[in-house]
Structures are given as C-alpha cells and as structure tokens.
C-alpha cells in the first residue's frame, strides 16, 4: 500500500503524457541496448548533455561493443575519455566491461541488485539501465529526478542527508509505474532537465503542477534545501614544464593510483608556504637537466576530496640537450590538446597555449 498523498497513477500518467509530447530527442534515446544506455548514463553522471553528445558518439565508434571495450587496454579507454574529466568513470567502465564478459558471458544482468555490484554502477545508474534497457520497474534518483521529487513533496531537508535519501528513494519507488517504465524514466529525467529547473522552474508548463506541494507553498527558491559545503584540504605542488625544441615533457601517472593512467607534467610536492623554486632546482639536479627557469604563476583545481594548487615553472632546455628519461614522452602543444591530462595540468596546458598565441 502506498502512503503517498496522492494516487501515484495520476503522477505517472501525467509524466508519460508529457514525455510523449515534449521529451528530448537524444542520440541514445532510440536504443534499448544496455551497453549504449550504460555508456550514456556514466558519461552523464558529472557532465551536461550538450558536452556528452560528441564524446558519446566518438566513444561508441572506437568501442562499438562491450566486448571491444573489455578487450581494449585501459590506457586506450582513458585516452578516449580525454577531456570529459572524472576519469574514475573511464576506469570503472573498463573494469565493468571486463567483469561482465568474465562473469556473465558478455550479457548485462537485468536485475538492478546485480547491476549495482558492478564497478561504478550505483543504485540510480543500475535503476536506469534496468528501466531503460529492460523495462524493469526500477526507480532512479539522478540529480534531475532528485530535484523534482524534493519539490513535489516539498522536502525541507538537505537532499543528500541520510533521512532525505531514504524518503526520496521510497517516493521514487512508489511513483515508478509497472508498465512503460522506459518512457516514465526518460520523462522524469527530461522534466528535471527542461521544466523543473534548479533556479527558475517553469511551473506553468509542468505536467504535475496539480500535485506539487512546493508550487502550492510557493517555495521554489527554497527547495531543494541547499547542502552545506564541506571544507576540503589543500595540497601544493610545483609543476615542471620542461620544454625543448617545440615539445613538452609528459609522463603517464601509474595506472592503479589516484588519477591513474592520466598524463601529467612532472611535479614535486611542496609545502603551502614554500615558493617551490628550491624543489624544482633539486628535481632538475637529480634529473640531470639544465636550463633557464621561469615562474609562470599558479593555478588551482578542485578534485572531489582536495584542492590542488600548482605553482608552474617552465624550464627551457637547449634544443640540442640530450635527455633520456624512462617513462617520459615529448609532445607538441597541439598533441597536448587531445591528451588525457588530469584536470589541474589541463589548466597548465591552457596557460601555455595562451602564452604561445
Ligand atoms: Fe517543479 Fe514547478 Fe513542476 Fe513543482 S510545479 S515539479 S516546482 S516545475
């Protein structure tokens, strides 16, 4: 028995009717292929639809099936992901493809509980794959749906709090219909993306306005309740941009560590109050490099659990300097444009580009 304040079929019927008229036409929409749905869902986890479309199509040209993805080296998957950010998603995609081939003979499990046990597939992504590919009655709770539900029920709690999370999943479960789950799920995603917008929801165009508690209370600007931001620690490094004969020295980070498999300029850790120059001199000495040192300022970049401040030092080697260092490669600025640099060092690349132009 539902403890909802309204009949859930009123809600799902309104969503389905609206979706049939106003749903978005997206490249992954026509497909019931769980592989394609999964790739789109993972790409959309931290990235906007507009930014994802090109990447999605290129990714599927390169890895057109789950088997192709599973058979590829992880480095190739990370390189293909270059520019999308949040690279743990690429590592998890690869790990999941390998696991599905090994454990399920290459076929996606249909049960959301099993899907959830795969690397990088949380409850909402598992629900989306099960609902969109297999029409299973599985709820989702992505950012758009979370906002819609917070507003429908005028939830006055931070939406990521444990209590809110529990309530939202229960509502999502109770509202998901038994039939037409595919269209209903797409409809909920689209309603959040097109109508129930974060800042100015378009309530007059909303198919479920007659059920919305937030609209009745005129609390659209207060709900969802803002989450308190947690303070994150700061780490500092000196990034060393070694340049010789039009090329820059890069190295791939160890595949199994943080930001594993991504490319980076050589860097050394420094303390918050140090200038970094001393550490760079020491690095150059140890590496047998001699050249003109220029400070290029600093950049900041936020990762999920810390903020990185990179002081940038350019080292200009003589064009004829002999350098042979294992694990390092030399790239032109144009080659850097398409390389999977980690976020902070992508900003260094932009800084270099600006200096050259
Ligand atoms: Fe969102 Fe407005 Fe629709 Fe309520 S009526 S769900 S606030 S768009």
């Amino acid at each position: 028995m539902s403890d909802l304040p309204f009949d859930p079929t009123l809600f799902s019927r309104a969503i389905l009717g609206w979706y049939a008229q106003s749903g978005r036409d997206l490249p992954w929409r026509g497909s019931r292929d769980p592989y394609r749905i999964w790739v789109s869902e993972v790409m959309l986890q931290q990235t906007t639809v507009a930014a994802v479309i090109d990447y999605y199509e290129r990714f599927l040209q390169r890895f057109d099936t789950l088997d192709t993805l599973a058979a590829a080296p992880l480095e190739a998957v990370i390189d293909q992901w270059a520019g999308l950010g949040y690279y743990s998603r690429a590592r998890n995609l690869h790990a999941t493809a390998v696991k599905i081939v090994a454990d399920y003979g290459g076929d996606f499990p249909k049960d959301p509980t099993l899907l959830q046990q795969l690397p990088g597939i949380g409850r909402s992504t598992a629900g989306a794959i099960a609902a969109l590919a297999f029409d299973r009655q599985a709820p989702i709770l992505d950012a758009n749906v979370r906002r819609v539900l917070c507003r429908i029920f005028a939830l006055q709690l931070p939406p990521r709090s444990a209590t809110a999370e529990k309530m939202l999943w229960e509502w999502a479960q109770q509202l998901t219909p038994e039939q037409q789950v595919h269209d209903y799920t797409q409809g909920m995603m689209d309603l959040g993306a097109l109508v129930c917008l974060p800042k100015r929801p378009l309530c007059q165009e909303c198919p479920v306005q007659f059920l919305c508690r937030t609209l009745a209370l005129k609390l659209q600007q207060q709900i969802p309740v803002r989450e308190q931001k947690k303070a994150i620690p700061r780490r500092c490094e000196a990034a060393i941009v070694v340049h010789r004969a039009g090329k820059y020295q890069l190295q791939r980070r160890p595949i199994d560590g943080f930001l594993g498999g991504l490319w980076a300029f050589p860097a050394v850790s420094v303390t918050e109050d140090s200038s970094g120059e001393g550490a760079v001199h020491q690095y150059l000495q140890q590496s047998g490099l001699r050249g003109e040192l220029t400070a290029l300022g600093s950049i900041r970049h936020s990762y999920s659990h810390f903020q990185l401040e990179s002081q940038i030092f350019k080292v200009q080697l003589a064009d004829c300097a002999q350098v042979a260092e294992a694990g390092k490669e030399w790239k032109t600025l144009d080659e850097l444009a398409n390389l999977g640099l980690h976020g902070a060092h992508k900003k260094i690349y932009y800084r270099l580009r600006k200096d050259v132009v």
Side-chain angles (χ1 to χ4, degrees), residues 125-187:
T125 305
I129 298 168
L132 300 178
F134 308 121
D135 239 344
R136 289 273 177 126
Q137 193 189 16
I140 66 159
L141 198 57
D142 68 1
N144 283 325
V145 174
R146 192 178 287 273
R147 185 170 57 258
V148 172
L149 294 183
C150 282
R151 284 184 170 148
I152 289 293
F153 296 100
L155 180 67
Q156 309 220 20
L157 290 171
R160 299 271 173 189
S161 65
T163 314
E165 189 83 7
K166 194 163 173 282
M167 294 166 82
L168 287 164
W169 274 112
E170 272 172 23
W171 290 328
Q173 178 85 53
Q174 289 169 343
L175 291 174
T176 304
E178 282 174 31
Q179 308 288 327
Q180 293 183 272
V181 185
H182 174 276
D183 287 1
Y184 169 81
T185 304
Q186 306 273 30

Coordinates of all heavy atoms in Angstrom, one line a residue, residues 125-187:
T125 N 22.2 4.5 -11.3 CA 22.6 4.0 -12.7 C 22.1 2.6 -12.9 O 21.6 2.3 -14.0 CB 24.1 4.0 -12.8 OG1 24.5 5.4 -12.5 CG2 24.6 3.7 -14.2
A126 N 22.1 1.7 -11.9 CA 21.5 0.4 -12.0 C 20.1 0.5 -12.4 O 19.6 -0.2 -13.3 CB 21.7 -0.4 -10.7
G127 N 19.3 1.4 -11.7 CA 17.9 1.5 -12.0 C 17.7 2.0 -13.4 O 16.8 1.5 -14.1
A128 N 18.5 2.9 -13.9 CA 18.4 3.5 -15.2 C 18.6 2.4 -16.3 O 17.8 2.3 -17.2 CB 19.3 4.7 -15.5
I129 N 19.6 1.6 -16.1 CA 19.9 0.5 -17.1 C 18.7 -0.5 -17.1 O 18.2 -0.9 -18.1 CB 21.2 -0.2 -16.8 CG1 22.4 0.8 -16.9 CG2 21.4 -1.4 -17.7 CD1 23.7 0.2 -16.3
A130 N 18.3 -0.9 -15.9 CA 17.2 -1.9 -15.8 C 15.9 -1.3 -16.4 O 15.2 -2.0 -17.1 CB 17.0 -2.3 -14.3
A131 N 15.6 -0.1 -16.1 CA 14.4 0.5 -16.6 C 14.5 0.8 -18.1 O 13.5 0.5 -18.9 CB 14.1 1.8 -15.8
L132 N 15.6 1.4 -18.6 CA 15.6 1.9 -19.9 C 15.9 0.7 -20.9 O 15.4 0.7 -22.0 CB 16.7 2.9 -20.1 CG 16.5 4.2 -19.3 CD1 17.6 5.2 -19.4 CD2 15.2 4.9 -19.6
A133 N 16.7 -0.3 -20.5 CA 17.1 -1.4 -21.4 C 16.0 -2.5 -21.3 O 15.7 -3.2 -22.3 CB 18.5 -1.9 -21.1
F134 N 15.6 -2.8 -20.0 CA 14.8 -4.0 -19.8 C 13.4 -3.7 -19.3 O 12.6 -4.6 -19.0 CB 15.5 -4.9 -18.8 CG 17.0 -5.2 -19.2 CD1 18.0 -4.8 -18.3 CD2 17.3 -5.7 -20.4 CE1 19.3 -5.1 -18.7 CE2 18.6 -6.0 -20.8 CZ 19.6 -5.7 -19.9
D135 N 13.0 -2.4 -19.3 CA 11.7 -2.0 -18.8 C 11.3 -2.6 -17.4 O 10.2 -2.9 -17.1 CB 10.6 -2.5 -19.8 CG 9.8 -1.3 -20.3 OD1 9.9 -0.2 -19.7 OD2 9.1 -1.4 -21.4
R136 N 12.3 -2.8 -16.6 CA 12.1 -3.3 -15.2 C 11.6 -2.1 -14.4 O 12.0 -1.0 -14.5 CB 13.4 -3.7 -14.6 CG 14.0 -5.0 -15.2 CD 13.4 -6.1 -14.5 NE 13.8 -7.4 -15.1 CZ 14.4 -8.4 -14.4 NH1 14.6 -8.2 -13.1 NH2 14.8 -9.5 -14.9
Q137 N 10.7 -2.5 -13.4 CA 10.2 -1.4 -12.5 C 11.2 -1.1 -11.5 O 11.2 -1.4 -10.3 CB 8.9 -1.9 -11.8 CG 8.1 -0.8 -11.2 CD 7.0 -1.4 -10.3 OE1 7.0 -2.6 -10.0 NE2 6.1 -0.5 -9.9
A138 N 12.2 -0.3 -11.9 CA 13.4 0.1 -11.1 C 13.4 1.6 -11.0 O 13.4 2.3 -12.0 CB 14.7 -0.5 -11.6
P139 N 13.4 2.2 -9.8 CA 13.5 3.6 -9.7 C 14.9 4.2 -10.0 O 15.9 3.5 -9.8 CB 13.1 3.9 -8.2 CG 13.5 2.6 -7.5 CD 13.4 1.5 -8.5
I140 N 14.9 5.4 -10.3 CA 16.2 6.1 -10.4 C 16.2 7.4 -9.6 O 15.1 7.9 -9.2 CB 16.6 6.5 -11.9 CG1 15.6 7.6 -12.4 CG2 16.6 5.3 -12.8 CD1 16.2 8.4 -13.6
L141 N 17.3 7.9 -9.2 CA 17.4 9.1 -8.4 C 18.6 9.9 -8.8 O 19.6 10.1 -8.1 CB 17.4 8.8 -6.9 CG 17.1 9.9 -5.9 CD1 15.7 10.4 -6.2 CD2 17.1 9.3 -4.5
D142 N 18.6 10.4 -10.1 CA 19.7 11.2 -10.5 C 19.4 12.6 -10.1 O 18.4 12.9 -9.4 CB 20.0 11.1 -12.0 CG 18.8 11.7 -12.9 OD1 17.9 12.2 -12.3 OD2 18.9 11.6 -14.1
A143 N 20.3 13.6 -10.4 CA 20.2 14.9 -9.9 C 18.9 15.6 -10.3 O 18.2 16.2 -9.5 CB 21.4 15.8 -10.4
N144 N 18.4 15.3 -11.5 CA 17.2 15.9 -12.0 C 16.0 15.3 -11.3 O 15.1 16.1 -10.8 CB 17.0 15.6 -13.5 CG 17.9 16.6 -14.3 OD1 18.1 17.7 -13.9 ND2 18.4 16.1 -15.4
V145 N 16.0 14.0 -11.1 CA 14.8 13.4 -10.5 C 14.8 13.7 -9.0 O 13.7 14.0 -8.4 CB 14.9 11.8 -10.7 CG1 13.8 11.1 -9.9 CG2 14.8 11.5 -12.2
R146 N 15.9 13.8 -8.4 CA 16.0 14.2 -7.0 C 15.4 15.6 -6.8 O 14.6 15.8 -5.9 CB 17.5 14.3 -6.6 CG 17.8 14.4 -5.2 CD 19.4 14.4 -5.0 NE 19.9 13.1 -5.3 CZ 20.1 12.1 -4.3 NH1 19.7 12.4 -3.1 NH2 20.6 11.0 -4.6
R147 N 15.7 16.5 -7.7 CA 15.1 17.9 -7.6 C 13.6 17.8 -7.7 O 12.8 18.5 -7.0 CB 15.8 18.8 -8.6 CG 15.4 20.2 -8.4 CD 16.2 21.1 -9.3 NE 16.2 20.8 -10.7 CZ 17.1 20.2 -11.4 NH1 18.2 19.8 -10.8 NH2 17.0 19.9 -12.7
V148 N 13.1 17.1 -8.7 CA 11.7 17.0 -9.0 C 11.0 16.5 -7.7 O 10.0 17.1 -7.3 CB 11.4 16.2 -10.2 CG1 9.9 15.9 -10.3 CG2 11.9 16.8 -11.5
L149 N 11.5 15.4 -7.2 CA 10.8 14.8 -6.0 C 10.9 15.7 -4.8 O 9.9 15.8 -4.0 CB 11.4 13.4 -5.7 CG 11.2 12.3 -6.8 CD1 11.8 11.0 -6.4 CD2 9.7 12.2 -7.2
C150 N 12.0 16.3 -4.6 CA 12.1 17.2 -3.4 C 11.0 18.3 -3.5 O 10.4 18.6 -2.5 CB 13.5 18.0 -3.5 SG 14.8 17.1 -2.8
R151 N 10.7 18.7 -4.8 CA 9.7 19.8 -4.9 C 8.3 19.2 -4.9 O 7.4 19.9 -4.2 CB 10.0 20.5 -6.2 CG 11.2 21.5 -6.1 CD 11.4 22.3 -7.3 NE 12.4 23.4 -7.1 CZ 13.2 23.8 -8.0 NH1 13.2 23.3 -9.3 NH2 14.1 24.8 -7.8
I152 N 8.1 18.1 -5.5 CA 6.7 17.6 -5.5 C 6.3 17.4 -4.0 O 5.1 17.7 -3.6 CB 6.7 16.2 -6.2 CG1 6.8 16.4 -7.7 CG2 5.4 15.4 -5.9 CD1 5.7 17.1 -8.4
F153 N 7.2 16.9 -3.2 CA 6.8 16.6 -1.8 C 7.2 17.7 -0.8 O 7.1 17.6 0.4 CB 7.4 15.3 -1.3 CG 6.8 14.1 -2.1 CD1 7.5 13.6 -3.2 CD2 5.6 13.6 -1.8 CE1 7.0 12.5 -3.9 CE2 5.0 12.6 -2.6 CZ 5.7 12.0 -3.6
A154 N 7.8 18.8 -1.3 CA 8.2 20.0 -0.5 C 9.1 19.5 0.6 O 8.9 19.8 1.8 CB 7.1 20.8 0.0
L155 N 10.1 18.7 0.3 CA 11.0 18.2 1.3 C 12.0 19.3 1.8 O 12.7 19.9 1.1 CB 11.9 17.1 0.6 CG 12.9 16.4 1.5 CD1 12.2 15.6 2.6 CD2 13.8 15.5 0.7
Q156 N 11.8 19.5 3.1 CA 12.6 20.6 3.7 C 13.8 20.1 4.4 O 14.1 20.5 5.6 CB 11.7 21.4 4.6 CG 10.4 21.8 3.8 CD 9.9 23.2 4.1 OE1 10.7 24.1 4.5 NE2 8.7 23.4 3.9
L157 N 14.5 19.2 3.8 CA 15.8 18.7 4.4 C 16.9 18.7 3.3 O 16.5 18.6 2.1 CB 15.6 17.2 4.7 CG 14.7 16.8 5.9 CD1 14.5 15.3 5.9 CD2 15.3 17.2 7.2
P158 N 18.1 18.8 3.7 CA 19.2 18.7 2.6 C 19.0 17.4 1.9 O 19.0 16.3 2.5 CB 20.5 18.8 3.4 CG 20.1 19.4 4.7 CD 18.7 19.0 5.0
P159 N 18.9 17.4 0.6 CA 18.5 16.2 -0.2 C 19.6 15.0 -0.1 O 19.2 13.9 -0.4 CB 18.4 16.6 -1.6 CG 18.7 18.1 -1.7 CD 19.0 18.6 -0.3
R160 N 20.8 15.3 0.3 CA 21.8 14.3 0.5 C 21.9 13.7 1.9 O 22.7 12.9 2.2 CB 23.2 14.8 0.0 CG 23.2 15.2 -1.4 CD 23.6 14.1 -2.3 NE 23.4 14.5 -3.7 CZ 23.5 13.7 -4.7 NH1 23.7 12.4 -4.6 NH2 23.4 14.1 -6.0
S161 N 21.1 14.3 2.8 CA 21.1 13.8 4.2 C 20.5 12.3 4.2 O 19.8 12.0 3.3 CB 20.3 14.7 5.1 OG 19.0 14.6 4.7
A162 N 20.9 11.6 5.2 CA 20.5 10.2 5.2 C 19.0 10.0 5.2 O 18.4 9.2 4.5 CB 21.2 9.4 6.4
T163 N 18.3 10.9 6.0 CA 16.9 10.8 6.1 C 16.2 11.1 4.8 O 15.3 10.4 4.3 CB 16.4 11.8 7.2 OG1 17.2 11.7 8.3 CG2 14.9 11.5 7.5
A164 N 16.7 12.2 4.2 CA 16.1 12.6 2.9 C 16.3 11.5 1.8 O 15.4 11.2 1.1 CB 16.8 13.9 2.4
E165 N 17.5 11.0 1.8 CA 17.9 10.0 0.8 C 16.9 8.8 0.9 O 16.4 8.3 -0.1 CB 19.3 9.5 1.2 CG 20.0 8.6 0.2 CD 20.6 9.3 -1.0 OE1 20.7 10.6 -1.0 OE2 21.0 8.6 -1.9
K166 N 16.6 8.4 2.1 CA 15.7 7.3 2.4 C 14.3 7.6 1.8 O 13.6 6.8 1.1 CB 15.7 6.9 3.9 CG 15.1 5.6 4.2 CD 15.4 5.2 5.6 CE 14.7 4.0 6.0 NZ 13.3 4.2 6.4
M167 N 13.8 8.8 2.2 CA 12.5 9.2 1.8 C 12.4 9.3 0.3 O 11.4 8.9 -0.4 CB 12.1 10.6 2.4 CG 12.0 10.5 3.9 SD 12.0 12.1 4.7 CE 10.3 12.6 4.4
L168 N 13.4 9.9 -0.3 CA 13.4 10.1 -1.8 C 13.4 8.8 -2.5 O 12.6 8.6 -3.5 CB 14.7 10.9 -2.2 CG 14.6 12.4 -1.8 CD1 16.0 13.1 -2.0 CD2 13.6 13.2 -2.7
W169 N 14.2 7.8 -2.1 CA 14.1 6.5 -2.7 C 12.8 5.9 -2.6 O 12.3 5.2 -3.5 CB 15.2 5.6 -2.2 CG 16.6 5.8 -2.9 CD1 17.7 6.3 -2.4 CD2 16.9 5.5 -4.2 NE1 18.7 6.4 -3.3 CE2 18.2 5.8 -4.5 CE3 16.1 4.9 -5.3 CZ2 18.8 5.6 -5.7 CZ3 16.8 4.7 -6.5 CH2 18.1 5.1 -6.7
E170 N 12.2 6.0 -1.4 CA 10.8 5.4 -1.2 C 9.8 6.0 -2.2 O 9.1 5.3 -2.8 CB 10.4 5.6 0.2 CG 10.9 4.4 1.1 CD 10.6 4.6 2.6 OE1 9.7 5.4 2.9 OE2 11.4 4.0 3.4
W171 N 9.9 7.4 -2.3 CA 8.9 8.0 -3.2 C 9.2 7.6 -4.6 O 8.3 7.4 -5.4 CB 9.1 9.6 -3.1 CG 8.5 10.1 -1.8 CD1 7.5 9.6 -1.0 CD2 9.0 11.2 -1.1 NE1 7.3 10.4 0.1 CE2 8.2 11.4 0.1 CE3 10.0 12.2 -1.3 CZ2 8.4 12.4 1.0 CZ3 10.3 13.2 -0.3 CH2 9.4 13.3 0.8
A172 N 10.5 7.6 -5.0 CA 10.9 7.2 -6.4 C 10.3 5.8 -6.7 O 9.7 5.5 -7.7 CB 12.4 7.2 -6.5
Q173 N 10.4 4.9 -5.7 CA 10.0 3.5 -5.8 C 8.4 3.5 -6.0 O 7.9 2.8 -6.9 CB 10.4 2.7 -4.6 CG 9.9 1.3 -4.6 CD 10.9 0.4 -5.3 OE1 12.1 0.4 -5.0 NE2 10.4 -0.4 -6.3
Q174 N 7.8 4.2 -5.1 CA 6.3 4.2 -5.1 C 5.7 4.8 -6.4 O 4.6 4.5 -6.8 CB 5.7 4.9 -3.9 CG 6.0 4.1 -2.6 CD 5.7 4.9 -1.4 OE1 5.6 6.1 -1.4 NE2 5.6 4.3 -0.2
L175 N 6.4 5.8 -7.0 CA 5.8 6.5 -8.1 C 6.1 5.8 -9.4 O 5.4 6.0 -10.4 CB 6.4 7.9 -8.2 CG 5.9 8.9 -7.1 CD1 6.7 10.2 -7.2 CD2 4.4 9.1 -7.2
T176 N 7.2 4.9 -9.5 CA 7.5 4.3 -10.7 C 6.4 3.3 -11.1 O 6.1 2.4 -10.3 CB 8.9 3.5 -10.6 OG1 9.8 4.5 -10.2 CG2 9.3 2.9 -11.9
P177 N 5.9 3.4 -12.3 CA 4.7 2.5 -12.7 C 5.2 1.1 -13.0 O 6.4 0.9 -13.3 CB 4.1 3.2 -13.9 CG 5.3 4.0 -14.5 CD 6.2 4.4 -13.4
E178 N 4.3 0.2 -13.1 CA 4.7 -1.2 -13.5 C 4.9 -1.3 -15.0 O 5.7 -2.0 -15.5 CB 3.6 -2.2 -13.1 CG 3.6 -2.5 -11.6 CD 2.4 -3.3 -11.2 OE1 1.9 -4.1 -12.1 OE2 2.0 -3.2 -10.1
Q179 N 4.1 -0.5 -15.8 CA 4.2 -0.5 -17.2 C 4.9 0.8 -17.7 O 4.9 1.8 -17.1 CB 2.8 -0.5 -17.8 CG 1.9 -1.6 -17.3 CD 2.3 -3.0 -17.8 OE1 2.7 -3.1 -18.9 NE2 2.1 -4.0 -16.9
Q180 N 5.4 0.7 -18.9 CA 6.0 1.8 -19.6 C 7.1 2.5 -18.7 O 7.2 3.7 -18.7 CB 5.0 2.9 -20.0 CG 4.0 2.4 -21.1 CD 3.0 3.5 -21.4 OE1 2.0 3.7 -20.8 NE2 3.4 4.3 -22.4
V181 N 7.9 1.7 -18.1 CA 8.9 2.2 -17.2 C 10.0 3.0 -18.0 O 10.5 4.0 -17.5 CB 9.6 1.0 -16.4 CG1 10.5 1.6 -15.4 CG2 8.5 0.2 -15.7
H182 N 10.3 2.5 -19.2 CA 11.3 3.1 -20.0 C 10.9 4.6 -20.2 O 11.6 5.5 -19.9 CB 11.4 2.4 -21.3 CG 12.3 3.0 -22.3 ND1 11.8 4.0 -23.2 CD2 13.6 2.8 -22.6 CE1 12.8 4.4 -24.0 NE2 13.9 3.7 -23.6
D183 N 9.7 4.8 -20.7 CA 9.2 6.2 -21.1 C 9.1 7.0 -19.8 O 9.4 8.2 -19.8 CB 7.9 6.2 -21.8 CG 8.1 5.7 -23.3 OD1 9.3 5.3 -23.6 OD2 7.1 5.6 -24.0
Y184 N 8.5 6.4 -18.8 CA 8.4 7.2 -17.5 C 9.7 7.7 -17.0 O 9.9 8.8 -16.6 CB 7.7 6.3 -16.4 CG 7.7 6.9 -15.1 CD1 6.8 7.8 -14.7 CD2 8.7 6.5 -14.1 CE1 6.8 8.4 -13.4 CE2 8.8 7.1 -12.9 CZ 7.8 8.0 -12.5 OH 7.9 8.6 -11.3
T185 N 10.7 6.8 -17.0 CA 12.1 7.2 -16.5 C 12.7 8.3 -17.3 O 13.2 9.3 -16.8 CB 13.0 5.9 -16.5 OG1 12.3 4.9 -15.8 CG2 14.3 6.2 -16.0
Q186 N 12.6 8.2 -18.7 CA 13.1 9.2 -19.5 C 12.3 10.5 -19.2 O 12.8 11.6 -19.2 CB 12.8 8.9 -21.0 CG 13.4 7.6 -21.5 CD 14.9 7.7 -21.9 OE1 15.6 8.5 -21.4 NE2 15.3 6.8 -22.8
G187 N 11.0 10.4 -19.0 CA 10.1 11.6 -18.8 C 10.6 12.3 -17.5 O 10.6 13.5 -17.5

